[in-house]
Amino acid sequence: MTAAIRTFAIISLSLVFALGVGGLAQAADRDRLEAFLEVTGFDVALESIKLSADAAPNMIGVQTDDFGSEWKRIVEEVFDTDQMHDMALDILEQTLDDELLTHAVEFYASDLGQRLVVAENASHLLEDDAAKTEQGESIVAGLVRLGSPRLEELKRLNAASGSTDASLHAIQEVQVRFIMAAAVAGVIEMQMDEEDLRENLRTQEGELRRRMQTSALSGSAYTYQAFSDAEITAYADALENPKMQKVYALMNAVQFEIMADRFEAMASRMQGVQSSQEL
């Protein structure tokens, strides 16, 4: 899975079905799905969801330090890798057909595909986001100075793995579901209803979109720095294939449905650990 997927992107599973991504032809069996997760790097992308957990307290105006030693335990239990892995398999078993699975695996099992997965896995699990961002931004600045066509190919690659608008709406949906769950659990005291919350988030879309585009570009520049321009172009070509587009729409949906689900679960676990805050 591309580095850009680490930037939140969510498409409701009901929409995936409506688009005809799931339920096509013959569903893939569980053994093949296990292989699919490993070959494409989707298993590591799921594992990296845990790294987003520290963003949760900031959404409700508190810090991870407010939860003391309990915070690490909550994160480890809520973002259990095996549980998220099984959740993904359960969804994919109902939505990913054998033809699309085969198409994706054939690309990612190639020499280029496997080298890409190694680079993407390392990027997904790198905890020092600040260092990655700094290095990525430096690479982008260099490409701009050189007028390198590689920059446009990286943008093309990001666009093929998921639109900015879909990613933006993903962030909003995860935020809403987490904040509302935190309110129900008594972790925060809501001073607005859900519709007001959504409207408040919509007013921030412009700035958030710009930050996401910048982050995605620097992330890709960092992740794929060891690949040639021709290899970046070949990857973008592969991702723009209509079958791969369906695979990515589904993987985005699955990954971030799991993320939203786990954030909701985290909200309930935070109850009683931290005194209520107003939002």
Side-chain angles (χ1 to χ4, degrees), residues 3-275:
I5 283 189
R6 173 83 177 271
T7 304
F8 303 134
I10 191 169
I11 306 170
S12 72
L13 291 175
S14 59
L15 177 58
V16 170
F17 279 110
L19 290 172
V21 174
L24 301 175
Q26 182 178 353
D29 63 48
R30 206 165 180 93
D31 287 342
R32 294 201 69 203
L33 287 172
E34 286 278 11
F36 168 83
L37 294 185
E38 181 177 357
V39 171
T40 61
F42 193 28
D43 56 348
V44 174
L46 291 172
E47 184 179 348
S48 72
I49 291 175
K50 183 185 297 184
L51 299 180
S52 67
D54 284 349
N58 292 332
M59 294 184 196
I60 54 175
V62 296
Q63 304 296 321
T64 57
D65 290 345
D66 295 334
F67 298 91
S69 60
E70 286 292 286
W71 179 251
K72 184 176 181 179
R73 181 180 63 81
I74 291 172
V75 170
E76 289 297 325
E77 293 178 358
V78 172
F79 291 88
D80 178 74
T81 303
D82 290 338
Q83 182 180 1
M84 292 190 293
H85 185 92
D86 287 343
M87 290 172 69
L89 288 176
D90 288 343
I91 299 171
L92 290 171
E93 212 168 19
Q94 302 299 318
T95 54
L96 181 61
D97 72 43
D98 209 53
E99 181 183 1
L100 293 179
L101 181 151
T102 299
H103 178 83
V105 167
E106 284 179 350
F107 172 76
Y108 281 108
S110 68
D111 176 68
L112 173 60
Q114 282 300 282
R115 288 192 292 113
L116 287 164
V117 168
V118 169
E120 289 165 0
N121 286 353
S123 182
H124 281 311
L125 296 180
L126 183 64
E127 296 190 30
D128 191 349
D129 265 346
K132 180 167 71 173
T133 298
E134 183 179 353
Q135 291 182 50
E137 288 177 347
S138 177
I139 293 171
V140 169
L143 294 174
V144 170
R145 285 195 301 272
L146 294 171
S148 172
R150 182 184 182 90
L151 198 61
E152 290 306 313
E153 290 303 285
L154 288 172
K155 291 179 181 179
R156 183 174 155 230
L157 185 62
N158 286 346
S161 64
S163 72
T164 300
D165 282 342
S167 299
L168 186 150
H169 296 146
I171 295 176
Q172 293 175 335
E173 192 63 27
V174 171
Q175 287 177 319
V176 168
R177 288 175 61 173
F178 173 67
I179 291 171
M180 296 308 297
V184 170
V187 179
I188 58 173
E189 297 177 8
M190 288 288 290
Q191 301 299 307
M192 62 180 77
D193 60 21
E194 183 176 335
E195 183 53 40
D196 289 337
L197 174 59
R198 290 184 181 277
E199 180 58 33
N200 181 270
L201 293 174
R202 279 194 288 270
T203 65
Q204 304 171 34
E205 285 185 0
E207 176 59 26
L208 181 57
R209 181 180 285 106
R210 285 189 292 273
R211 292 206 315 266
M212 288 170 58
Q213 290 172 335
T214 300
S215 175
L217 186 58
S218 65
S220 291
Y222 171 87
T223 302
Y224 306 114
Q225 58 186 298
F227 293 85
S228 69
D229 291 354
E231 288 172 330
I232 296 298
T233 296
Y235 195 15
D237 288 343
L239 294 187
E240 287 175 346
N241 182 286
K243 289 182 180 179
M244 195 72 91
Q245 286 288 290
K246 289 184 177 181
V247 171
Y248 262 73
L250 181 54
M251 289 197 295
N252 280 335
V254 171
Q255 182 176 358
F256 296 102
E257 173 60 26
I258 292 172
M259 175 181 283
D261 177 86
R262 293 296 81 201
F263 268 56
E264 287 176 323
M266 183 190 297
S268 66
R269 292 293 303 275
M270 291 163 73
Q271 183 182 24
V273 180
Q274 136 80 30
S275 59

